[in-house]
């Protein structure tokens, strides 16, 4: 609808929508190629000082929250709202209009047409036609127009609003994304095994975020390829709230832990040069877990055991094998090699101990809270529904003009659709054939 208001015409134009969508597509590609939310040193190392400074000036390093990207979203939102307000009333009139009041001359101009004859008078022929139409899913209404009896039926009239459901779904997605952006967070934590944390640190600053509960890294395990590259790694996490264990889960890269709307993703790791030891004394049915550094003696006081790592085999920061020194005060101390993470039996004069040792790691977790994600999901659901209506459903209308002629009835069938014309042509011809066979 053209008005004299140039601002209204500008914001309701399809050209503006195409321009804005194009800009968002291009900038989103840039945001996908260039890593977002990294440290300043990362961009300097990756792109050089001048390019990193250029990125910083344009906000490309955090572009999805930059003023110009949000402005593009605001422009598209304004365009969708005004465009919908501008065009929807005309669509609503088409859906709700009285099609039995349409001028006959206009009905007769419809492209699809068929004429059949009935030996019945118009009213009886109309009843028979309506019964036939019902078999094809057409519920017809009728009205006397001078010397003519007019029947009308339509299907999927509301399919015309599919495009506006798509418009609204985009606004819902924007609203969900903004709600998540301003009420949620994205953070990370490097959590050593056997340690707890109740806070995480956002990417944008170092202000800790209180989780409202504690997360403990019970264990971290990693497998390597023969060339030394990491193959797979996982962490066992425990959620502790009010002193109680409320959840435990082994997480991997694509299988995170979720609790109270906060998601913990496995993202990285860091190897330490200290170790975790577990010893079981079957004679007293007791066990213990201790951590200690390389070449430092440790003591389990109650049974009087001293032990430690006296040598290791390592590749870069990864320890594969370790040589253990173990003494329980009974006979000569034991010395042996074992793999990291292996459990071995230590035969001593009075008993046999179960002993395990592994390199200690810190598990790198990405932590995200996005309370707007369900709003976004609803928006996507609405978009799919709207697209289905817009592309696969069509507003189909038929009229039947019944006129008495020499004690018989001439029936003129007219039809039109706003989409999928080839399919409707077939349906229309089938209906016309049935009307002809009826007589």
């Amino acid at each position: 609808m053209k008005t004299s208001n140039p601002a209204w015409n500008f914001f309701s134009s399809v050209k503006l929508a195409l321009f804005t969508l194009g800009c968002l597509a291009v900038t989103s590609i840039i945001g996908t190629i260039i890593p977002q939310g990294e440290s300043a040193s990362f961009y300097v190392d990756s792109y050089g000082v001048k390019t990193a400074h250029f990125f910083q000036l344009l906000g490309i390093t955090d572009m999805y929250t930059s003023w110009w990207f949000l402005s593009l979203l605001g422009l598209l939102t304004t365009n969708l709202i005004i465009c919908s307000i501008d065009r929807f009333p005309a669509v609503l009139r088409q859906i709700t209009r009285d099609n039995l009041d349409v001028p006959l001359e206009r009905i007769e101009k419809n492209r699809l047409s068929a004429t059949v004859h009935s030996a019945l008078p118009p009213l009886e022929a109309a009843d028979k036609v309506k019964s036939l139409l019902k078999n094809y899913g057409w519920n017809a209404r009728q009205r006397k127009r001078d010397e003519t009896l007019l029947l009308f039926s339509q299907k999927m009239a509301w399919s015309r609003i599919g495009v506006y459901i798509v418009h609204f779904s985009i606004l819902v997605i924007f609203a969900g994304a903004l709600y998540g952006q301003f009420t949620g967070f994205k953070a990370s934590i490097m959590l050593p095994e056997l340690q707890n944390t109740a806070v995480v640190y956002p990417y944008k600053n170092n202000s800790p975020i209180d989780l409202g509960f504690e997360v403990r890294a019970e264990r971290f395990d990693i497998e390597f390829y023969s060339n030394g590259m990491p193959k797979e790694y996982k962490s066992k996490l425990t959620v502790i709230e009010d002193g109680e264990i409320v959840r435990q889960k082994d997480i991997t890269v694509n299988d995170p832990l979720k609790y109270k709307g906060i998601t913990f993703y496995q993202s990285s790791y860091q190897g330490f040069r200290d170790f975790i030891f577990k010893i079981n004394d079957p004679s007293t049915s007791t066990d213990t877990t201790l951590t200690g550094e390389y070449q430092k003696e440790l003591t389990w006081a109650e049974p009087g055991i001293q032990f430690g790592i006296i040598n290791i085999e390592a590749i870069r920061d990864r320890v594969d094998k370790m040589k253990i020194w173990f003494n329980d005060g009974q006979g000569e101390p034991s010395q042996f090699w074992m793999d990291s993470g292996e459990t071995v039996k230590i035969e001593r004069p009075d008993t046999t101990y179960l002993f395990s040792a592994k390199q200690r790691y810190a598990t790198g977790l990405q932590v995200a809270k996005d309370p707007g994600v369900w709003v976004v999901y609803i928006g996507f659901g609405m978009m799919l529904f709207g697209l289905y209506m817009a592309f696969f459903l069509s507003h189909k209308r038929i009229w039947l003009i019944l006129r008495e002629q020499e004690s018989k009835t001439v029936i003129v069938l007219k039809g039109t659709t706003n989409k999928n014309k080839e399919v409707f042509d077939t349906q229309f011809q089938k209906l016309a054939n049935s009307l002809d066979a009826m007589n």
Side-chain angles (χ1 to χ4, degrees):
M1 179 179 68
K2 285 289 183 182
T3 71
S4 58
N5 187 330
W8 183 272
N9 291 333
F10 172 76
F11 282 110
S12 64
S13 73
V14 176
K15 291 180 181 177
L16 177 63
L18 294 175
F19 170 78
T20 311
L21 287 171
C23 291
L24 287 171
V26 172
T27 52
S28 295
I29 292 172
I30 295 173
T32 303
I33 296 173
I34 299 174
Q36 299 290 296
E38 299 289 344
S39 64
S41 60
F42 170 83
Y43 295 104
V44 171
D45 294 340
S46 303
Y47 302 99
V49 176
K50 290 184 179 179
T51 305
H53 182 62
F54 177 72
F55 286 172
Q56 195 70 31
L57 285 176
L58 295 182
I60 292 176
T61 56
D62 194 13
M63 57 174 281
Y64 297 113
T65 58
S66 64
W67 66 268
W68 55 267
F69 192 84
L70 294 176
S71 298
L72 284 173
L73 293 181
L75 186 60
L76 180 60
T77 300
T78 305
N79 177 243
L80 289 175
I81 292 173
I82 294 181
C83 179
S84 299
I85 293 173
D86 189 66
R87 292 168 172 77
F88 186 73
V91 172
L92 190 60
R93 283 195 295 274
Q94 280 202 315
I95 294 171
T96 59
R97 74 183 303 175
D98 182 5
N99 284 283
L100 289 172
D101 198 38
V102 177
L104 294 177
E105 298 78 12
R106 186 171 170 185
I107 295 173
E108 289 175 344
K109 288 180 181 177
N110 282 307
R111 180 176 62 88
L112 295 177
S113 178
T115 302
V116 298
H117 295 81
S118 172
L120 299 173
L123 285 176
E124 292 182 27
D127 289 340
K128 201 168 181 180
V129 167
K130 283 197 290 186
S131 178
L132 176 71
L133 292 178
K134 199 166 186 178
N135 293 335
Y136 287 91
W138 298 91
N139 293 311
R141 295 180 292 116
Q142 70 181 52
R143 183 176 298 168
K144 190 79 169 62
R145 299 272 298 269
D146 298 328
E147 300 302 320
T148 301
L149 188 60
L150 181 64
L151 274 65
F152 171 76
S153 183
Q154 64 180 348
K155 290 182 180 178
M156 301 295 176
W158 289 98
S159 66
R160 289 181 178 272
I161 67 170
V163 65
Y164 299 99
I165 294 177
V166 174
H167 286 186
F168 186 66
S169 71
I170 294 173
L171 301 181
V172 171
I173 291 170
F174 285 173
L178 290 175
Y179 181 63
Q181 181 68 35
F182 291 108
T183 60
F185 61 81
K186 290 182 180 178
S188 65
I189 187 75
M190 192 64 77
L191 184 61
E193 290 177 274
L194 305 180
Q195 284 193 11
N196 301 14
T197 184
V199 298
V200 293
Y201 297 88
Y203 294 126
K204 297 179 180 178
N205 54 59
N206 292 321
S207 302
I209 298 173
D210 187 2
L211 296 172
F213 53 86
E214 288 185 277
V215 176
R216 177 179 174 86
E218 297 288 356
R219 185 180 176 91
F220 179 86
D221 292 297
I222 184 168
E223 294 180 26
F224 293 91
Y225 289 106
S226 57
N227 62 4
M229 296 295 290
K231 179 180 180 182
E232 183 182 22
Y233 47 95
K234 65 181 180 181
S235 301
K236 182 174 185 176
L237 299 182
T238 298
V239 178
I240 304 166
E241 188 169 19
D242 298 328
E244 301 285 337
I245 295 176
V246 294
R247 188 156 189 189
Q248 280 190 321
K249 183 176 181 181
D250 290 336
I251 67 167
T252 57
V253 173
N254 295 316
D255 185 18
L257 166 70
K258 297 181 180 179
Y259 185 70
K260 287 192 169 180
I262 300 175
T263 306
F264 297 84
Y265 298 93
Q266 179 73 74
S267 65
S268 61
Y269 65 92
Q270 179 182 352
F272 294 150
R273 281 300 177 100
D274 57 355
F275 300 85
I276 300 172
F277 305 93
K278 291 184 179 179
I279 309 173
N280 176 262
D281 183 355
S283 64
T284 56
S285 299
T286 57
D287 52 35
T288 188
T289 300
L290 299 170
T291 60
E293 299 177 5
Y294 175 49
Q295 293 185 336
K296 290 289 181 67
E297 183 178 301
L298 297 175
T299 299
W300 184 12
E302 189 172 344
I305 294 174
Q306 293 84 41
F307 63 96
I309 296 176
I310 56 177
N311 200 359
I312 59 174
E313 290 182 1
I315 302 175
R316 294 191 291 272
D317 61 349
R318 165 186 139 204
V319 176
D320 288 335
K321 289 182 176 292
M322 56 194 77
K323 188 174 184 181
I324 305 296
W325 176 86
F326 186 95
N327 183 25
D328 62 352
Q330 305 295 323
E332 290 295 318
S334 300
Q335 294 187 28
F336 55 90
W337 282 91
M338 63 182 293
D339 293 334
S340 180
E342 184 183 7
T343 299
V344 299
K345 291 181 179 179
I346 303 178
E347 303 284 349
R348 300 294 299 166
D350 292 339
T351 188
T352 300
Y353 297 94
L354 290 177
F355 182 91
S356 69
K358 70 182 288 292
Q359 182 184 8
R360 192 183 190 193
Y361 284 88
T363 179
L365 303 173
Q366 286 187 355
V367 188
K369 181 180 180 182
D370 187 355
V373 68
W374 285 108
V375 180
V376 173
Y377 289 161
I378 291 171
F380 274 116
M382 293 175 62
M383 178 179 286
L384 291 175
F385 181 65
L387 290 171
Y388 175 76
M389 289 180 69
F391 287 103
F392 295 100
L393 301 181
S394 57
H395 183 194
K396 293 173 279 194
R397 292 176 291 175
I398 58 170
W399 289 267
L400 292 103
I401 304 168
L402 285 73
R403 292 192 180 95
E404 188 170 12
Q405 194 175 76
E406 297 176 356
S407 300
K408 296 183 179 178
T409 300
V410 177
I411 304 172
V412 178
L413 174 63
K414 294 286 183 180
T416 185
T417 182
N418 64 332
K419 292 192 296 283
N420 304 326
K421 290 185 170 53
E422 292 183 358
V423 174
F424 184 63
D425 286 358
T426 303
Q427 294 173 348
F428 183 88
Q429 191 56 52
K430 188 176 180 181
L431 186 59
N433 293 339
S434 297
L435 282 172
D436 193 33
M438 178 186 73
N439 300 292

